[in-house]
Amino acid sequence: MGQQIVHRLLISFPALLGVLFLCFCLLQVVPADPAMIIAGPDAKAETVAAIRQELGLDRSIPVQFFEYILRVLHGDLGRSIISNRMVSEELAMTIGPTIELMLGAMLIAVPSGLALGTLAAVNRGRLTDRIIMACSVAGVSMPVFFIGLILIQFVGFKWALLPFTGRTGPVWDGGLPSLILPALTLGAVLIGPIARLTRTAVLEVLGADFVRTARAKGLRERVVIIHHALRNAMIPVVTLIGLQAAFLLGGAVVTETMFSWPGVGRLAVGAIVSSDFPTAQGAIMILAVAFLTINLLVDVLYVYLDPRVQRR
């Protein structure tokens, strides 16, 4: 187990370095000059040149990238061009809401998807199976903004059951009501894929010899399904859940925008639009680190669910 984690960390470092390099190069192509943004449209050429020299923008791209990596290793992500605050402070204010939104969506999607997929597999070909699969396809087909608009219109505006704009605070400090609608919007989209893959994986395992042996021992059907079939069918499902969790970290921009949720994805898009390069680079780096961390956790779960992975 320890060797696998160390090996994964050694692989993740070059991947993170490559992401930072690509992000740095792509932002250099953007037709905007941070020095001009700071100085203003009416600034003199001498002022702009002085700002470029102060920011190090007059150096070559390899030198700028090397200096950027050195600053990152020392914990310095730079200063925002727009707000003039440290990028680390900007990220500290947005990473918490994003993690809350991701965990809330996963807490809704994962148990629901596993339960519905297992129920559909057990009732294969019956009306229950067809209804669950039809709802799963409908959930996959509906875009996030459509589900969000429906929830805002009825639950938030018409019935006034839950707040639908902004974040009132952390979950442990009275912020749970404002989290429910955004988390439900994201979670509803993920229930369908998890349910469909769970159904397929459980159906493959139900015909295995160890499942027939468990039934021959006289175990109850619920024990056979949950402790034998579902656990051994979790490898592909865990992979999907890991990918979806990584997607939620950076792909929830639409939901964060609809519900005015102050997350990292919304911060990154706003920084790119306003040519705030330090903030954009910091946000992308945080998302890349989170993505690699989730992949590491998925690998650890592989070993827990299937000890043969560790032996290989």
Side-chain angles (χ1 to χ4, degrees):
M1 175 74 73
Q3 291 181 351
Q4 278 195 332
I5 294 176
V6 172
H7 178 68
R8 191 69 184 181
L9 290 174
L10 293 176
I11 296 176
S12 300
F13 182 75
L16 178 60
L17 190 64
V19 170
L20 292 178
F21 179 73
L22 290 176
C23 171
F24 186 86
C25 293
L26 289 175
L27 290 177
Q28 299 299 321
V29 182
V30 176
D33 189 354
M36 287 290 298
I37 298 175
I38 296 175
D42 301 328
K44 297 180 180 180
E46 294 81 4
T47 304
V48 176
I51 295 176
R52 288 181 59 84
Q53 184 177 5
E54 181 181 356
L55 297 177
L57 300 177
D58 56 338
R59 302 182 180 94
S60 62
I61 292 180
V63 173
Q64 292 184 43
F65 178 71
F66 181 73
E67 293 177 348
Y68 173 69
I69 294 298
L70 289 180
R71 291 196 303 269
V72 170
L73 292 177
H74 287 85
D76 181 12
L77 301 180
R79 187 177 292 274
S80 172
I81 296 175
I82 303 302
S83 64
N84 199 32
R85 289 188 296 189
M86 297 300 296
V87 174
S88 56
E89 296 178 2
E90 298 269 358
L91 294 174
M93 292 187 297
T94 56
I95 189 63
T98 295
I99 293 177
E100 284 184 3
L101 181 58
M102 181 197 72
L103 293 179
M106 298 304 292
L107 286 176
I108 293 173
V110 174
S112 302
L114 292 177
L116 292 175
T118 305
L119 183 62
V122 173
N123 296 276
R124 180 182 182 182
R126 300 176 184 174
L127 180 61
T128 302
D129 180 23
R130 296 175 182 176
I131 292 176
I132 292 176
M133 288 299 99
C135 293
S136 299
V137 173
V140 173
S141 304
M142 287 189 295
V144 176
F145 67 85
F146 178 76
I147 299 176
L149 288 176
I150 294 296
L151 292 176
I152 290 174
Q153 175 64 27
F154 290 96
V155 181
F157 183 74
K158 188 173 182 179
W159 299 332
L161 298 177
L162 292 169
F164 57 90
T165 179
R167 175 175 178 262
T168 56
V171 175
W172 59 87
D173 192 19
L176 181 60
S178 62
L179 175 65
I180 293 177
L181 287 186
L184 186 59
T185 300
L186 276 182
V189 178
L190 302 182
I191 291 175
I194 295 175
R196 296 181 64 184
L197 186 58
T198 302
R199 176 184 181 274
T200 303
V202 171
L203 283 177
E204 293 178 357
V205 175
L206 284 178
D209 293 336
F210 62 86
V211 174
R212 288 195 292 266
T213 302
R215 286 171 173 164
K217 290 180 179 179
L219 296 177
R220 290 183 297 178
E221 187 67 15
R222 179 182 299 177
V223 176
V224 173
I225 297 298
I226 297 177
H227 293 280
H228 294 272
L230 182 59
R231 177 173 178 176
N232 287 275
M234 283 296 292
I235 292 293
V237 180
V238 166
T239 304
L240 176 65
I241 292 173
L243 292 175
Q244 296 293 346
F247 161 77
L248 289 180
L249 281 171
V253 180
V254 176
T255 304
E256 292 177 355
T257 303
M258 290 180 60
F259 292 93
S260 299
W261 193 261
V264 177
R266 187 182 177 193
L267 175 67
V269 172
I272 294 173
V273 172
S274 58
S275 300
D276 190 353
F277 294 162
T279 303
Q281 290 170 346
I284 293 174
M285 186 194 70
I286 290 296
L287 294 176
V289 170
F291 189 90
L292 295 173
T293 303
I294 291 173
N295 285 335
L296 177 63
L297 294 177
V298 169
D299 289 342
V300 174
L301 285 176
Y302 283 165
V303 179
Y304 172 74
L305 295 172
D306 190 353
R308 294 173 299 178
V309 174
Q310 185 174 7
R311 289 197 294 268
R312 288 197 296 267

